[in-house]
Amino acid sequence: MTAATLAPAAALSPSEIATFNDDGFLVFDDIFTPAEIATLTSIVEGNEKNHTYQKVERTVHQVGLIEQHPAWVDLARDARIIDRIRPLIGNDIQVQHSKLAAKPLTKNAGPFGWHQDYAYFPHTNTDLVAVMVMLDDATPENGCMSMVRGSHKQGLLNHADANGFFAGSCQDAVWEREPQRVIPVTPRAGGISIHHCLTLHGSPANLSGRPRRGIVIQYRAADAYQMADEIFADTGLIVSGRRSDSARCTAGTVKLPRFRGRPGLGYGKAWNQVGELAAAENAKSEAAK
C-alpha cells in the first residue's frame, strides 16, 4: 500500500476546510478498502506485543508503532491521508508519533480522559493534526472518541494537578458545562478522523466486549518544533515536502508539562527532533531524489 500505487485523492473542499476551522475535526468513511483494513488488522493481531491490549485496562499501546512494520511507514505516507492534511498544515509534513489505540476487550474497560494532544507535546506552533485510521467500526458502545466542537479555539487548557505535575487529562470540565458541543465521532472501519492538536477529546469505556482498534498518526508542520515530551523512533519522519531548518513560533507563552518521576528530564528529551527510524527513512528518501 505505497503512495505510488494509489489513485490520486481529492484535496479537501472549501466547506471541509471551513468545518475543520470551525469545529476542530473532520470524519471520513470509506477511505481504505476492506481488504486493506484486513491486512492492517492481521499485522496488529500477528504482533505478540500488540496482544497486550486484550489483557490490560488502558487504551494506548505501542507508541512509535511505525518502526514495527513497513506497512505502517506506507500508511503514514498514504496519499489518501496526506492529501487531506496538506490543506490544514501545509505541504512540508512530518510524523510526530504513531500508536495503536485499542480498547481492551474487557467490558467497562479502557476509558481515556478528556485532553488536548498539544498538552502532551507542546510545539512552537499548533499546526499539528491527529489522524485515526479505524480498524473496527467506532460506536458509542465500544468507546468511540467524542470531540468538543470548537474547543481548539480556546487555546491550551490546564492539564496540571494541584502540585504542578502533568495530570494527563484536562482539569477544566468544558464538556460538562457545554454538553451540546460534545460530538461522538463514529467512522466505520476503513474510515478516518482528523482533529486539531487543541481539540478537546476523550473516550469512554468499551461496553460492547468487542474490539475498537485504531491506528493514530500525529502529524506536524515541518516548522513546528517540539518543546517537551519524548522523541520516538518515528518522530520527524518526513511524509511530504522537506525538512525545515526554521522554527515558526506562533503559540505564544506555553507552560511546559512537568512529568512526574523524571528527575533531570522533567520536560522530556525533545532537544533532538528526529528519531532513529525517521532519520534512516529520511536519508533513503533523499538519496532516491
Side-chain angles (χ1 to χ4, degrees):
M1 187 168 44
T2 63
T5 64
L6 299 173
L12 297 184
S13 68
S15 64
E16 289 167 337
I17 295 172
T19 296
F20 182 85
N21 290 336
D22 289 341
D23 294 348
F25 63 92
L26 292 167
V27 179
F28 299 93
D29 278 319
D30 303 319
I31 300 299
F32 296 93
T33 68
E36 289 172 320
I37 292 302
T39 297
L40 297 178
T41 301
S42 69
I43 295 170
V44 168
E45 293 178 343
N47 185 338
E48 283 297 326
K49 292 181 181 179
N50 288 337
H51 286 179
T52 57
Y53 79 84
Q54 300 182 26
K55 304 171 185 177
V56 297
E57 302 297 297
R58 58 191 178 87
T59 295
V60 174
H61 312 273
Q62 303 300 307
V63 178
L65 182 71
I66 286 175
E67 70 174 317
Q68 296 184 15
H69 197 284
W72 306 130
V73 178
D74 292 341
L75 182 66
R77 291 172 169 160
D78 196 294
R80 288 166 290 185
I81 294 174
I82 301 304
D83 285 352
R84 286 177 169 85
I85 64 175
R86 282 194 185 106
L88 305 178
I89 62 174
N91 185 61
D92 298 329
I93 303 173
Q94 300 175 359
V95 169
Q96 196 278 327
H97 77 273
S98 62
K99 63 196 172 197
L100 170 68
K103 294 288 182 180
L105 299 184
T106 307
K107 277 195 175 185
N108 301 316
F112 203 98
W114 291 94
H115 66 284
Q116 296 166 303
D117 294 339
Y118 185 84
Y120 282 77
F121 37 83
H123 280 60
T124 57
N125 63 67
T126 58
D127 278 342
L128 296 91
V129 295
V131 176
M132 188 169 185
V133 179
M134 296 309 305
L135 304 184
D136 306 292
D137 293 349
T139 68
E141 292 73 27
N142 69 8
C144 70
M145 285 193 297
S146 289
M147 309 279 185
V148 180
R149 177 179 283 157
S151 54
H152 63 305
K153 298 178 182 179
Q154 296 180 244
L156 181 60
L157 301 172
N158 179 32
H159 287 67
D161 63 20
N163 296 314
F165 288 101
F166 185 61
S169 59
C170 181
Q171 305 301 291
D172 184 10
V174 175
W175 57 93
E176 292 181 356
R177 294 197 309 272
E178 302 179 73
Q180 73 280 4
R181 293 170 59 194
V182 176
I183 309 298
V185 175
T186 56
R188 297 188 296 268
I192 66 173
S193 63
I194 305 171
H195 68 262
H196 190 279
C197 65
L198 286 172
T199 299
L200 190 61
H201 61 289
S203 60
N206 183 356
L207 304 178
S208 70
R210 298 185 300 275
R212 193 233 65 179
R213 296 162 294 186
I215 304 303
V216 177
I217 305 174
Q218 184 79 226
Y219 294 96
R220 67 187 182 194
D223 59 3
Y225 272 67
Q226 190 170 332
M227 297 186 290
D229 198 24
E230 300 303 302
I231 298 296
F232 300 100
D234 52 2
T235 299
L237 175 65
I238 298 169
V239 294
S240 176
R242 61 184 64 191
R243 181 175 174 83
S244 174
D245 59 3
S246 299
R248 179 166 48 92
C249 302
T250 61
T253 300
V254 175
K255 184 175 178 60
L256 300 181
R258 183 181 172 207
F259 298 106
R260 192 183 299 275
R262 297 189 194 174
L265 290 173
Y267 304 104
K269 55 183 181 183
W271 54 80
N272 175 17
Q273 294 287 313
V274 180
E276 295 86 353
L277 175 138
E281 287 290 331
N282 292 347
K284 286 194 292 185
S285 296
E286 186 63 30
K289 291 180 180 178

